[in-house]
Amino acid sequence: MNTNIAQTLSAGQSTFSVDTIRADFPILQQEVHGKQLVYLDNAATTQKPLSVITTLDDYYRHYNSNIHRGVHSLSEKATAAYEASRKKTKDFINAASTKEIIFVRGTTEAINLVAQSYGRSTLKPGDEIIISEMEHHSNIVPWQLLCEQTSAVLRIIPINDDGELIMEEYRKLLNEKTKIVAIVHISNALGTINPVKKIIDMAHAVNAVVLVDGAQAVAHTGVDVQALECDFYVFSGHKLFGPTGTGVLYGKQELLERMPPYQGGGDMIKMVTLKKTLFNDLPYKFEAGTPHIAGVIGLGAAIDYVTKTGLANISAWETALIQYATAESAKINGLRPIGTAKEKISILSFTLDKIHPHDIGTILDHEGIAIRTGHHCAMPVMEHFHVPATARASFAFYNTHAEVDRLLQGLKKCLEIFG
Ligand code: 7TS
């Protein structure tokens, strides 16, 4: 086993040192069941660097206040910090304007917003929505609800046994009735990176709009929404080293302008009488009520951290990790990888002999290793591979080759215990 792989690499502009990075994440410094924690559940949620934690602390300690309302100093400071996060988010995904950045609770809320606002106001009976077999439930159920409400029809792009979209089938599904294509950028259950630019171009050729679920993408790869030309791009702050309860809906301004509000309340209005309401301008039209102010400011700090580390560095490090984990795990008898796409990232999903994934998870937990077991909110993927659940190790840039070795040792222990 190769535990001597360099702990640093040079990619892009700056040098990446995993030891320096790890020192920024206080939670990683602890023991679980008397063993050094190995956190490999990053697809579920990522850990937070000190800079994010101190940003939240600073907000609550020094300028906790509601935004966009008060003229007092604390409120002005909170508003400026909140809006600075919007600017950082715009730059991070290269949106054309801060008007295109809507802060929401997470990926789930962003998709529901688009389904209920854009979808409900534009779809007619018989119109078609395309999703894929590899979607997270949050990119399935909102469209099923919308179909019930509008009598639109849901169409599904199937996947092959490597966990890749069958693009030929996608091509066949597209027609003049297709109005929305909602597709995951990187699958949380398989790690597959989808050819989103191609998917978007093909959808645009039939005048359909495209929503990209970027929940698993933004922490691993650079995203440029203008280059992609996607109509909507959504992600969660907590998977990007930011606070839970924060997320982003990017939408093209012309579409957002045409869409009705998703929720009514404070901040999303210009003027209210008991007869009629004038809605606020973008992006506030979609931000009813007091948002997660501290969280959004913390998300800005997370974006700063990722930007400083460099997505080229992150991607290079994680590619080395997943290649190592894939190669070494293949040597374990009885390990069946689920998701073997040519283009894949940071996720090792597998079954092990006849051992139930939950048992694997419990044994590994006693070794101090945190992985995810279950259907990963992607039950159709489990159905495709005829498994009730998988064990899933998902990596972030603070993980190391030595931690991969700990995982492999833990899996061998599982095999020993279950004979
Ligand atoms: N889309 C994808 C691709 C996801 O991986 C997830 C969460 C979501 C949407 C929903 O994000 P949320 O922040 O709104 O909940 N995925 C996972 C996971 O793989 N394990 O726990 C949550």
Side-chain angles (χ1 to χ4, degrees), residues 162-198:
D162 283 321
E164 295 165 323
L165 293 176
I166 305 178
M167 291 296 280
E168 201 36 49
E169 295 299 322
Y170 172 50
R171 193 180 303 279
K172 286 187 209 156
L173 289 175
L174 286 166
N175 65 73
E176 73 286 352
K177 285 186 279 179
T178 311
K179 300 298 175 212
I180 300 173
V181 175
I183 193 81
V184 70
H185 193 163
I186 297 180
S187 156
N188 69 316
L190 302 163
T192 311
I193 307 172
N194 285 323
V196 279
K197 177 62 181 152
K198 198 167 172 193

PDB file of all heavy atoms in Angstrom, residues 162-198:
ATOM      1  N   ASP A 162     -22.369   1.235 -16.303  1.00  0.00           N
ATOM      2  CA  ASP A 162     -21.254   1.968 -15.696  1.00  0.00           C
ATOM      3  C   ASP A 162     -21.773   3.186 -14.925  1.00  0.00           C
ATOM      4  O   ASP A 162     -21.001   3.895 -14.276  1.00  0.00           O
ATOM      5  CB  ASP A 162     -20.259   2.440 -16.774  1.00  0.00           C
ATOM      6  CG  ASP A 162     -19.389   1.284 -17.255  1.00  0.00           C
ATOM      7  OD1 ASP A 162     -19.002   0.452 -16.408  1.00  0.00           O
ATOM      8  OD2 ASP A 162     -19.121   1.208 -18.468  1.00  0.00           O
ATOM      9  N   GLY A 163     -23.072   3.441 -15.059  1.00  0.00           N
ATOM     10  CA  GLY A 163     -23.632   4.614 -14.392  1.00  0.00           C
ATOM     11  C   GLY A 163     -23.451   5.878 -15.221  1.00  0.00           C
ATOM     12  O   GLY A 163     -23.274   6.969 -14.680  1.00  0.00           O
ATOM     13  N   GLU A 164     -23.503   5.728 -16.547  1.00  0.00           N
ATOM     14  CA  GLU A 164     -23.413   6.898 -17.441  1.00  0.00           C
ATOM     15  C   GLU A 164     -24.751   7.096 -18.139  1.00  0.00           C
ATOM     16  O   GLU A 164     -25.458   6.116 -18.425  1.00  0.00           O
ATOM     17  CB  GLU A 164     -22.332   6.652 -18.514  1.00  0.00           C
ATOM     18  CG  GLU A 164     -20.936   6.529 -17.949  1.00  0.00           C
ATOM     19  CD  GLU A 164     -19.951   5.923 -18.942  1.00  0.00           C
ATOM     20  OE1 GLU A 164     -20.340   5.011 -19.704  1.00  0.00           O
ATOM     21  OE2 GLU A 164     -18.793   6.356 -18.941  1.00  0.00           O
ATOM     22  N   LEU A 165     -25.065   8.333 -18.450  1.00  0.00           N
ATOM     23  CA  LEU A 165     -26.297   8.601 -19.207  1.00  0.00           C
ATOM     24  C   LEU A 165     -26.175   7.993 -20.594  1.00  0.00           C
ATOM     25  O   LEU A 165     -25.104   8.074 -21.223  1.00  0.00           O
ATOM     26  CB  LEU A 165     -26.490  10.116 -19.376  1.00  0.00           C
ATOM     27  CG  LEU A 165     -26.765  10.916 -18.121  1.00  0.00           C
ATOM     28  CD1 LEU A 165     -26.832  12.405 -18.481  1.00  0.00           C
ATOM     29  CD2 LEU A 165     -28.062  10.468 -17.464  1.00  0.00           C
ATOM     30  N   ILE A 166     -27.272   7.430 -21.088  1.00  0.00           N
ATOM     31  CA  ILE A 166     -27.263   6.932 -22.471  1.00  0.00           C
ATOM     32  C   ILE A 166     -27.721   8.085 -23.355  1.00  0.00           C
ATOM     33  O   ILE A 166     -28.913   8.389 -23.457  1.00  0.00           O
ATOM     34  CB  ILE A 166     -28.166   5.680 -22.622  1.00  0.00           C
ATOM     35  CG1 ILE A 166     -27.711   4.609 -21.601  1.00  0.00           C
ATOM     36  CG2 ILE A 166     -28.105   5.150 -24.055  1.00  0.00           C
ATOM     37  CD1 ILE A 166     -28.541   3.352 -21.594  1.00  0.00           C
ATOM     38  N   MET A 167     -26.743   8.770 -23.932  1.00  0.00           N
ATOM     39  CA  MET A 167     -27.028  10.024 -24.639  1.00  0.00           C
ATOM     40  C   MET A 167     -27.909   9.801 -25.867  1.00  0.00           C
ATOM     41  O   MET A 167     -28.678  10.686 -26.253  1.00  0.00           O
ATOM     42  CB  MET A 167     -25.718  10.712 -25.025  1.00  0.00           C
ATOM     43  CG  MET A 167     -24.939  11.245 -23.830  1.00  0.00           C
ATOM     44  SD  MET A 167     -25.838  12.557 -22.964  1.00  0.00           S
ATOM     45  CE  MET A 167     -25.484  13.964 -24.017  1.00  0.00           C
ATOM     46  N   GLU A 168     -27.793   8.637 -26.473  1.00  0.00           N
ATOM     47  CA  GLU A 168     -28.623   8.334 -27.636  1.00  0.00           C
ATOM     48  C   GLU A 168     -30.104   8.326 -27.242  1.00  0.00           C
ATOM     49  O   GLU A 168     -30.980   8.795 -27.984  1.00  0.00           O
ATOM     50  CB  GLU A 168     -28.190   6.967 -28.212  1.00  0.00           C
ATOM     51  CG  GLU A 168     -28.570   6.728 -29.643  1.00  0.00           C
ATOM     52  CD  GLU A 168     -28.506   7.976 -30.525  1.00  0.00           C
ATOM     53  OE1 GLU A 168     -27.492   8.705 -30.513  1.00  0.00           O
ATOM     54  OE2 GLU A 168     -29.521   8.234 -31.217  1.00  0.00           O
ATOM     55  N   GLU A 169     -30.381   7.823 -26.031  1.00  0.00           N
ATOM     56  CA  GLU A 169     -31.768   7.793 -25.548  1.00  0.00           C
ATOM     57  C   GLU A 169     -32.250   9.217 -25.245  1.00  0.00           C
ATOM     58  O   GLU A 169     -33.408   9.556 -25.472  1.00  0.00           O
ATOM     59  CB  GLU A 169     -31.896   6.911 -24.298  1.00  0.00           C
ATOM     60  CG  GLU A 169     -31.594   5.444 -24.546  1.00  0.00           C
ATOM     61  CD  GLU A 169     -32.544   4.820 -25.557  1.00  0.00           C
ATOM     62  OE1 GLU A 169     -33.740   5.164 -25.548  1.00  0.00           O
ATOM     63  OE2 GLU A 169     -32.072   4.000 -26.395  1.00  0.00           O
ATOM     64  N   TYR A 170     -31.346  10.038 -24.723  1.00  0.00           N
ATOM     65  CA  TYR A 170     -31.684  11.440 -24.472  1.00  0.00           C
ATOM     66  C   TYR A 170     -32.080  12.114 -25.790  1.00  0.00           C
ATOM     67  O   TYR A 170     -33.110  12.791 -25.878  1.00  0.00           O
ATOM     68  CB  TYR A 170     -30.493  12.151 -23.820  1.00  0.00           C
ATOM     69  CG  TYR A 170     -30.639  13.653 -23.669  1.00  0.00           C
ATOM     70  CD1 TYR A 170     -31.785  14.221 -23.106  1.00  0.00           C
ATOM     71  CD2 TYR A 170     -29.617  14.508 -24.093  1.00  0.00           C
ATOM     72  CE1 TYR A 170     -31.903  15.596 -22.964  1.00  0.00           C
ATOM     73  CE2 TYR A 170     -29.725  15.882 -23.945  1.00  0.00           C
ATOM     74  CZ  TYR A 170     -30.877  16.431 -23.397  1.00  0.00           C
ATOM     75  OH  TYR A 170     -31.000  17.790 -23.260  1.00  0.00           O
ATOM     76  N   ARG A 171     -31.255  11.863 -26.803  1.00  0.00           N
ATOM     77  CA  ARG A 171     -31.527  12.454 -28.117  1.00  0.00           C
ATOM     78  C   ARG A 171     -32.944  12.089 -28.589  1.00  0.00           C
ATOM     79  O   ARG A 171     -33.691  12.922 -29.080  1.00  0.00           O
ATOM     80  CB  ARG A 171     -30.486  11.945 -29.125  1.00  0.00           C
ATOM     81  CG  ARG A 171     -30.453  12.693 -30.447  1.00  0.00           C
ATOM     82  CD  ARG A 171     -29.390  12.124 -31.377  1.00  0.00           C
ATOM     83  NE  ARG A 171     -28.054  12.127 -30.780  1.00  0.00           N
ATOM     84  CZ  ARG A 171     -27.253  13.187 -30.732  1.00  0.00           C
ATOM     85  NH1 ARG A 171     -27.648  14.328 -31.263  1.00  0.00           N
ATOM     86  NH2 ARG A 171     -26.066  13.116 -30.162  1.00  0.00           N
ATOM     87  N   LYS A 172     -33.311  10.827 -28.354  1.00  0.00           N
ATOM     88  CA  LYS A 172     -34.633  10.360 -28.817  1.00  0.00           C
ATOM     89  C   LYS A 172     -35.775  10.987 -28.019  1.00  0.00           C
ATOM     90  O   LYS A 172     -36.876  11.144 -28.525  1.00  0.00           O
ATOM     91  CB  LYS A 172     -34.706   8.837 -28.674  1.00  0.00           C
ATOM     92  CG  LYS A 172     -33.901   8.071 -29.711  1.00  0.00           C
ATOM     93  CD  LYS A 172     -34.193   6.581 -29.565  1.00  0.00           C
ATOM     94  CE  LYS A 172     -33.015   5.746 -30.007  1.00  0.00           C
ATOM     95  NZ  LYS A 172     -33.002   4.422 -29.384  1.00  0.00           N
ATOM     96  N   LEU A 173     -35.499  11.305 -26.746  1.00  0.00           N
ATOM     97  CA  LEU A 173     -36.563  11.870 -25.899  1.00  0.00           C
ATOM     98  C   LEU A 173     -36.886  13.320 -26.261  1.00  0.00           C
ATOM     99  O   LEU A 173     -37.994  13.801 -26.034  1.00  0.00           O
ATOM    100  CB  LEU A 173     -36.154  11.813 -24.428  1.00  0.00           C
ATOM    101  CG  LEU A 173     -36.121  10.434 -23.758  1.00  0.00           C
ATOM    102  CD1 LEU A 173     -35.565  10.552 -22.337  1.00  0.00           C
ATOM    103  CD2 LEU A 173     -37.505   9.812 -23.729  1.00  0.00           C
ATOM    104  N   LEU A 174     -35.888  14.026 -26.781  1.00  0.00           N
ATOM    105  CA  LEU A 174     -36.080  15.461 -27.065  1.00  0.00           C
ATOM    106  C   LEU A 174     -37.029  15.673 -28.236  1.00  0.00           C
ATOM    107  O   LEU A 174     -36.890  15.020 -29.278  1.00  0.00           O
ATOM    108  CB  LEU A 174     -34.735  16.111 -27.403  1.00  0.00           C
ATOM    109  CG  LEU A 174     -33.766  16.356 -26.249  1.00  0.00           C
ATOM    110  CD1 LEU A 174     -32.378  16.674 -26.792  1.00  0.00           C
ATOM    111  CD2 LEU A 174     -34.265  17.485 -25.353  1.00  0.00           C
ATOM    112  N   ASN A 175     -37.980  16.577 -28.061  1.00  0.00           N
ATOM    113  CA  ASN A 175     -38.869  16.938 -29.173  1.00  0.00           C
ATOM    114  C   ASN A 175     -39.496  18.301 -28.862  1.00  0.00           C
ATOM    115  O   ASN A 175     -39.175  18.909 -27.848  1.00  0.00           O
ATOM    116  CB  ASN A 175     -39.939  15.850 -29.385  1.00  0.00           C
ATOM    117  CG  ASN A 175     -40.860  15.746 -28.192  1.00  0.00           C
ATOM    118  OD1 ASN A 175     -41.702  16.612 -27.972  1.00  0.00           O
ATOM    119  ND2 ASN A 175     -40.698  14.712 -27.379  1.00  0.00           N
ATOM    120  N   GLU A 176     -40.395  18.732 -29.727  1.00  0.00           N
ATOM    121  CA  GLU A 176     -40.934  20.098 -29.545  1.00  0.00           C
ATOM    122  C   GLU A 176     -41.804  20.222 -28.292  1.00  0.00           C
ATOM    123  O   GLU A 176     -42.091  21.334 -27.845  1.00  0.00           O
ATOM    124  CB  GLU A 176     -41.671  20.577 -30.819  1.00  0.00           C
ATOM    125  CG  GLU A 176     -43.015  19.950 -31.113  1.00  0.00           C
ATOM    126  CD  GLU A 176     -42.915  18.498 -31.630  1.00  0.00           C
ATOM    127  OE1 GLU A 176     -41.786  18.004 -31.906  1.00  0.00           O
ATOM    128  OE2 GLU A 176     -43.969  17.851 -31.731  1.00  0.00           O
ATOM    129  N   LYS A 177     -42.194  19.078 -27.689  1.00  0.00           N
ATOM    130  CA  LYS A 177     -42.986  19.146 -26.448  1.00  0.00           C
ATOM    131  C   LYS A 177     -42.085  19.294 -25.214  1.00  0.00           C
ATOM    132  O   LYS A 177     -42.559  19.604 -24.126  1.00  0.00           O
ATOM    133  CB  LYS A 177     -43.846  17.882 -26.316  1.00  0.00           C
ATOM    134  CG  LYS A 177     -45.054  17.886 -27.245  1.00  0.00           C
ATOM    135  CD  LYS A 177     -45.962  16.703 -26.994  1.00  0.00           C
ATOM    136  CE  LYS A 177     -45.390  15.477 -27.693  1.00  0.00           C
ATOM    137  NZ  LYS A 177     -46.153  14.264 -27.523  1.00  0.00           N
ATOM    138  N   THR A 178     -40.777  19.039 -25.387  1.00  0.00           N
ATOM    139  CA  THR A 178     -39.860  19.138 -24.250  1.00  0.00           C
ATOM    140  C   THR A 178     -39.731  20.599 -23.820  1.00  0.00           C
ATOM    141  O   THR A 178     -39.345  21.451 -24.625  1.00  0.00           O
ATOM    142  CB  THR A 178     -38.443  18.633 -24.633  1.00  0.00           C
ATOM    143  OG1 THR A 178     -38.572  17.381 -25.279  1.00  0.00           O
ATOM    144  CG2 THR A 178     -37.556  18.515 -23.406  1.00  0.00           C
ATOM    145  N   LYS A 179     -40.064  20.887 -22.566  1.00  0.00           N
ATOM    146  CA  LYS A 179     -39.997  22.273 -22.099  1.00  0.00           C
ATOM    147  C   LYS A 179     -38.906  22.473 -21.055  1.00  0.00           C
ATOM    148  O   LYS A 179     -38.354  23.567 -20.944  1.00  0.00           O
ATOM    149  CB  LYS A 179     -41.349  22.704 -21.485  1.00  0.00           C
ATOM    150  CG  LYS A 179     -42.504  22.631 -22.458  1.00  0.00           C
ATOM    151  CD  LYS A 179     -42.324  23.572 -23.644  1.00  0.00           C
ATOM    152  CE  LYS A 179     -43.436  23.375 -24.661  1.00  0.00           C
ATOM    153  NZ  LYS A 179     -43.032  23.606 -26.018  1.00  0.00           N
ATOM    154  N   ILE A 180     -38.642  21.432 -20.264  1.00  0.00           N
ATOM    155  CA  ILE A 180     -37.631  21.559 -19.211  1.00  0.00           C
ATOM    156  C   ILE A 180     -36.771  20.293 -19.207  1.00  0.00           C
ATOM    157  O   ILE A 180     -37.305  19.180 -19.304  1.00  0.00           O
ATOM    158  CB  ILE A 180     -38.294  21.708 -17.809  1.00  0.00           C
ATOM    159  CG1 ILE A 180     -39.177  22.952 -17.746  1.00  0.00           C
ATOM    160  CG2 ILE A 180     -37.228  21.740 -16.706  1.00  0.00           C
ATOM    161  CD1 ILE A 180     -40.001  23.090 -16.461  1.00  0.00           C
ATOM    162  N   VAL A 181     -35.468  20.486 -19.095  1.00  0.00           N
ATOM    163  CA  VAL A 181     -34.556  19.366 -18.849  1.00  0.00           C
ATOM    164  C   VAL A 181     -33.874  19.672 -17.512  1.00  0.00           C
ATOM    165  O   VAL A 181     -33.301  20.754 -17.343  1.00  0.00           O
ATOM    166  CB  VAL A 181     -33.500  19.228 -19.976  1.00  0.00           C
ATOM    167  CG1 VAL A 181     -32.489  18.129 -19.641  1.00  0.00           C
ATOM    168  CG2 VAL A 181     -34.181  18.950 -21.313  1.00  0.00           C
ATOM    169  N   ALA A 182     -33.994  18.740 -16.558  1.00  0.00           N
ATOM    170  CA  ALA A 182     -33.380  18.951 -15.235  1.00  0.00           C
ATOM    171  C   ALA A 182     -32.414  17.807 -14.985  1.00  0.00           C
ATOM    172  O   ALA A 182     -32.821  16.645 -14.913  1.00  0.00           O
ATOM    173  CB  ALA A 182     -34.457  19.005 -14.158  1.00  0.00           C
ATOM    174  N   ILE A 183     -31.146  18.146 -14.875  1.00  0.00           N
ATOM    175  CA  ILE A 183     -30.122  17.106 -14.904  1.00  0.00           C
ATOM    176  C   ILE A 183     -29.048  17.366 -13.856  1.00  0.00           C
ATOM    177  O   ILE A 183     -28.681  18.506 -13.615  1.00  0.00           O
ATOM    178  CB  ILE A 183     -29.508  17.040 -16.336  1.00  0.00           C
ATOM    179  CG1 ILE A 183     -28.689  15.781 -16.519  1.00  0.00           C
ATOM    180  CG2 ILE A 183     -28.685  18.260 -16.663  1.00  0.00           C
ATOM    181  CD1 ILE A 183     -29.528  14.570 -16.824  1.00  0.00           C
ATOM    182  N   VAL A 184     -28.550  16.285 -13.271  1.00  0.00           N
ATOM    183  CA  VAL A 184     -27.512  16.428 -12.265  1.00  0.00           C
ATOM    184  C   VAL A 184     -26.152  16.599 -12.944  1.00  0.00           C
ATOM    185  O   VAL A 184     -25.870  15.938 -13.944  1.00  0.00           O
ATOM    186  CB  VAL A 184     -27.536  15.214 -11.297  1.00  0.00           C
ATOM    187  CG1 VAL A 184     -27.061  13.926 -11.968  1.00  0.00           C
ATOM    188  CG2 VAL A 184     -26.734  15.486 -10.040  1.00  0.00           C
ATOM    189  N   HIS A 185     -25.331  17.496 -12.408  1.00  0.00           N
ATOM    190  CA  HIS A 185     -24.001  17.729 -12.980  1.00  0.00           C
ATOM    191  C   HIS A 185     -23.087  16.557 -12.618  1.00  0.00           C
ATOM    192  O   HIS A 185     -22.470  15.942 -13.477  1.00  0.00           O
ATOM    193  CB  HIS A 185     -23.443  19.059 -12.435  1.00  0.00           C
ATOM    194  CG  HIS A 185     -22.240  19.564 -13.164  1.00  0.00           C
ATOM    195  ND1 HIS A 185     -21.804  20.854 -13.059  1.00  0.00           N
ATOM    196  CD2 HIS A 185     -21.362  18.952 -13.987  1.00  0.00           C
ATOM    197  CE1 HIS A 185     -20.721  21.017 -13.803  1.00  0.00           C
ATOM    198  NE2 HIS A 185     -20.430  19.874 -14.372  1.00  0.00           N
ATOM    199  N   ILE A 186     -23.042  16.245 -11.289  1.00  0.00           N
ATOM    200  CA  ILE A 186     -22.257  15.097 -10.816  1.00  0.00           C
ATOM    201  C   ILE A 186     -23.154  14.278  -9.885  1.00  0.00           C
ATOM    202  O   ILE A 186     -23.733  14.826  -8.939  1.00  0.00           O
ATOM    203  CB  ILE A 186     -20.986  15.553 -10.081  1.00  0.00           C
ATOM    204  CG1 ILE A 186     -20.062  16.318 -11.042  1.00  0.00           C
ATOM    205  CG2 ILE A 186     -20.261  14.355  -9.466  1.00  0.00           C
ATOM    206  CD1 ILE A 186     -18.773  16.819 -10.423  1.00  0.00           C
ATOM    207  N   SER A 187     -23.239  12.983 -10.152  1.00  0.00           N
ATOM    208  CA  SER A 187     -24.152  12.129  -9.368  1.00  0.00           C
ATOM    209  C   SER A 187     -23.606  11.858  -7.970  1.00  0.00           C
ATOM    210  O   SER A 187     -22.442  11.480  -7.806  1.00  0.00           O
ATOM    211  CB  SER A 187     -24.345  10.800 -10.098  1.00  0.00           C
ATOM    212  OG  SER A 187     -24.730   9.791  -9.180  1.00  0.00           O
ATOM    213  N   ASN A 188     -24.486  12.015  -6.964  1.00  0.00           N
ATOM    214  CA  ASN A 188     -24.056  11.769  -5.578  1.00  0.00           C
ATOM    215  C   ASN A 188     -23.950  10.284  -5.269  1.00  0.00           C
ATOM    216  O   ASN A 188     -23.257   9.892  -4.343  1.00  0.00           O
ATOM    217  CB  ASN A 188     -25.043  12.417  -4.593  1.00  0.00           C
ATOM    218  CG  ASN A 188     -26.397  11.732  -4.595  1.00  0.00           C
ATOM    219  OD1 ASN A 188     -26.934  11.414  -5.652  1.00  0.00           O
ATOM    220  ND2 ASN A 188     -26.937  11.479  -3.426  1.00  0.00           N
ATOM    221  N   ALA A 189     -24.627   9.446  -6.049  1.00  0.00           N
ATOM    222  CA  ALA A 189     -24.617   8.010  -5.766  1.00  0.00           C
ATOM    223  C   ALA A 189     -23.539   7.285  -6.557  1.00  0.00           C
ATOM    224  O   ALA A 189     -23.078   6.215  -6.150  1.00  0.00           O
ATOM    225  CB  ALA A 189     -25.986   7.416  -6.088  1.00  0.00           C
ATOM    226  N   LEU A 190     -23.127   7.870  -7.694  1.00  0.00           N
ATOM    227  CA  LEU A 190     -22.215   7.181  -8.608  1.00  0.00           C
ATOM    228  C   LEU A 190     -20.907   7.924  -8.853  1.00  0.00           C
ATOM    229  O   LEU A 190     -19.925   7.321  -9.277  1.00  0.00           O
ATOM    230  CB  LEU A 190     -22.910   6.991  -9.969  1.00  0.00           C
ATOM    231  CG  LEU A 190     -24.219   6.214  -9.958  1.00  0.00           C
ATOM    232  CD1 LEU A 190     -24.998   6.461 -11.240  1.00  0.00           C
ATOM    233  CD2 LEU A 190     -23.938   4.728  -9.776  1.00  0.00           C
ATOM    234  N   GLY A 191     -20.934   9.218  -8.660  1.00  0.00           N
ATOM    235  CA  GLY A 191     -19.751  10.041  -8.952  1.00  0.00           C
ATOM    236  C   GLY A 191     -19.625  10.427 -10.415  1.00  0.00           C
ATOM    237  O   GLY A 191     -18.699  11.155 -10.792  1.00  0.00           O
ATOM    238  N   THR A 192     -20.549   9.984 -11.246  1.00  0.00           N
ATOM    239  CA  THR A 192     -20.489  10.280 -12.682  1.00  0.00           C
ATOM    240  C   THR A 192     -20.545  11.784 -12.944  1.00  0.00           C
ATOM    241  O   THR A 192     -21.410  12.479 -12.396  1.00  0.00           O
ATOM    242  CB  THR A 192     -21.698   9.639 -13.410  1.00  0.00           C
ATOM    243  OG1 THR A 192     -21.796   8.286 -12.997  1.00  0.00           O
ATOM    244  CG2 THR A 192     -21.570   9.759 -14.914  1.00  0.00           C
ATOM    245  N   ILE A 193     -19.635  12.257 -13.796  1.00  0.00           N
ATOM    246  CA  ILE A 193     -19.710  13.658 -14.258  1.00  0.00           C
ATOM    247  C   ILE A 193     -20.448  13.644 -15.590  1.00  0.00           C
ATOM    248  O   ILE A 193     -19.993  13.013 -16.552  1.00  0.00           O
ATOM    249  CB  ILE A 193     -18.305  14.267 -14.476  1.00  0.00           C
ATOM    250  CG1 ILE A 193     -17.434  14.096 -13.231  1.00  0.00           C
ATOM    251  CG2 ILE A 193     -18.407  15.732 -14.881  1.00  0.00           C
ATOM    252  CD1 ILE A 193     -15.969  14.494 -13.447  1.00  0.00           C
ATOM    253  N   ASN A 194     -21.562  14.315 -15.641  1.00  0.00           N
ATOM    254  CA  ASN A 194     -22.351  14.308 -16.878  1.00  0.00           C
ATOM    255  C   ASN A 194     -21.872  15.374 -17.867  1.00  0.00           C
ATOM    256  O   ASN A 194     -21.379  16.425 -17.456  1.00  0.00           O
ATOM    257  CB  ASN A 194     -23.835  14.533 -16.551  1.00  0.00           C
ATOM    258  CG  ASN A 194     -24.464  13.293 -15.968  1.00  0.00           C
ATOM    259  OD1 ASN A 194     -24.142  12.181 -16.389  1.00  0.00           O
ATOM    260  ND2 ASN A 194     -25.326  13.461 -14.993  1.00  0.00           N
ATOM    261  N   PRO A 195     -22.051  15.109 -19.161  1.00  0.00           N
ATOM    262  CA  PRO A 195     -21.647  16.089 -20.194  1.00  0.00           C
ATOM    263  C   PRO A 195     -22.691  17.206 -20.282  1.00  0.00           C
ATOM    264  O   PRO A 195     -23.462  17.276 -21.236  1.00  0.00           O
ATOM    265  CB  PRO A 195     -21.600  15.237 -21.467  1.00  0.00           C
ATOM    266  CG  PRO A 195     -22.579  14.132 -21.227  1.00  0.00           C
ATOM    267  CD  PRO A 195     -22.610  13.878 -19.742  1.00  0.00           C
ATOM    268  N   VAL A 196     -22.696  18.072 -19.259  1.00  0.00           N
ATOM    269  CA  VAL A 196     -23.807  19.028 -19.147  1.00  0.00           C
ATOM    270  C   VAL A 196     -23.857  20.034 -20.295  1.00  0.00           C
ATOM    271  O   VAL A 196     -24.942  20.412 -20.727  1.00  0.00           O
ATOM    272  CB  VAL A 196     -23.834  19.769 -17.779  1.00  0.00           C
ATOM    273  CG1 VAL A 196     -24.465  18.909 -16.714  1.00  0.00           C
ATOM    274  CG2 VAL A 196     -22.493  20.239 -17.334  1.00  0.00           C
ATOM    275  N   LYS A 197     -22.690  20.435 -20.784  1.00  0.00           N
ATOM    276  CA  LYS A 197     -22.715  21.423 -21.888  1.00  0.00           C
ATOM    277  C   LYS A 197     -23.444  20.839 -23.105  1.00  0.00           C
ATOM    278  O   LYS A 197     -24.283  21.505 -23.721  1.00  0.00           O
ATOM    279  CB  LYS A 197     -21.271  21.820 -22.234  1.00  0.00           C
ATOM    280  CG  LYS A 197     -21.134  22.779 -23.394  1.00  0.00           C
ATOM    281  CD  LYS A 197     -21.818  24.124 -23.147  1.00  0.00           C
ATOM    282  CE  LYS A 197     -21.694  25.045 -24.339  1.00  0.00           C
ATOM    283  NZ  LYS A 197     -22.821  26.002 -24.428  1.00  0.00           N
ATOM    284  N   LYS A 198     -23.124  19.591 -23.391  1.00  0.00           N
ATOM    285  CA  LYS A 198     -23.761  18.923 -24.535  1.00  0.00           C
ATOM    286  C   LYS A 198     -25.274  18.770 -24.296  1.00  0.00           C
ATOM    287  O   LYS A 198     -26.095  19.017 -25.178  1.00  0.00           O
ATOM    288  CB  LYS A 198     -23.119  17.541 -24.686  1.00  0.00           C
ATOM    289  CG  LYS A 198     -23.335  16.890 -26.011  1.00  0.00           C
ATOM    290  CD  LYS A 198     -22.403  15.702 -26.139  1.00  0.00           C
ATOM    291  CE  LYS A 198     -22.752  14.917 -27.393  1.00  0.00           C
ATOM    292  NZ  LYS A 198     -22.117  13.619 -27.413  1.00  0.00           N
TER     293      LYS A 198
END
